[in-house]
Amino acid sequence: LDSDAKGASLVATAFYDACLSLTTNIGDRYPEVTSLVNLKNALYAAVEEICELDELARKRCARLAKLQTARPMTPEDRALVAEASEMVGDDVNEEAREIIESDVERILSTPTPPRSIRARFANWMTTISLWLDKAEKTDKKAKWLSDLVSRMQRWWPTGGE
């Protein structure tokens, strides 16, 4: 990515475009396949991180984000975010639990939390979901986590703020 000034933005826009495509295709054809949802969520989290670091990527992804409308968090969404710490508490160490609890608090306390918080929270939830899915541990929890990250993608535009 460092070898080309446009490399990061090309990767970010390709990932974001794939994320938009997966959102449509997973919803229509494979809504229950956790591994595909986790792939989409991982792409989303990578885009958030790249956009945090690269201005050109942020601008290009903001243009792509205009293709979809950000929807506000619903009371149900807020309740799911509030449950995240408890849901993953047994699967992470104390330090991770504290970070997740802090991220949950920031997400719930502001309409548009900083991209770094959104990216970290999405990455952690996706990573834990992938681990649970691969370990075939509590499939219900893995599905719950992947659904949470998918909901997050609808709340805030990528790249724009």
Side-chain angles (χ1 to χ4, degrees):
L1 293 177
D2 291 337
S3 65
D4 179 7
K6 295 180 183 178
S9 70
L10 293 173
V11 170
T13 54
F15 282 7
Y16 193 58
D17 193 38
C19 194
L20 292 175
S21 178
L22 283 168
T23 297
T24 301
N25 290 317
I26 291 171
D28 293 344
R29 299 180 189 154
Y30 310 103
E32 301 300 320
V33 181
T34 304
S35 58
L36 287 176
V37 176
N38 283 334
L39 170 63
K40 177 187 61 116
N41 293 345
L43 288 169
Y44 168 77
V47 168
E48 285 283 290
E49 286 193 23
I50 293 169
C51 286
E52 180 73 15
L53 301 172
D54 187 89
E55 181 66 27
L56 183 57
R58 187 171 23 258
K59 288 178 182 177
R60 286 182 168 177
C61 287
R63 285 195 297 267
L64 280 175
K66 290 180 182 178
L67 298 175
Q68 63 180 16
T69 303
R71 291 178 256 166
M73 289 176 68
T74 65
E76 180 186 1
D77 295 339
R78 296 182 85 64
L80 288 172
V81 170
E83 289 178 44
S85 300
E86 185 179 324
M87 183 63 80
V88 301
D90 294 338
D91 299 305
V92 297
N93 65 22
E94 186 176 335
E95 181 182 358
R97 232 182 341 271
E98 287 175 9
I99 291 169
I100 291 168
E101 287 171 2
S102 171
D103 287 354
V104 165
E105 184 178 317
R106 294 209 41 205
I107 288 168
L108 294 177
S109 68
T110 180
T112 309
R115 178 177 285 108
S116 58
I117 300 298
R118 296 182 344 227
R120 180 174 61 199
F121 187 75
N123 269 336
W124 283 56
M125 296 302 108
T126 299
T127 301
I128 294 166
S129 179
L130 285 166
W131 174 76
L132 291 171
D133 190 40
K134 285 180 182 173
E136 296 181 1
K137 265 184 99 171
T138 58
D139 183 54
K140 184 177 177 183
K141 190 185 293 189
K143 175 89 173 98
W144 187 94
L145 290 169
S146 65
D147 288 345
L148 174 62
V149 177
S150 290
R151 284 174 175 265
M152 287 179 62
Q153 294 170 37
R154 299 181 305 207
W155 303 331
W156 306 295
T158 296
E161 76 279 358

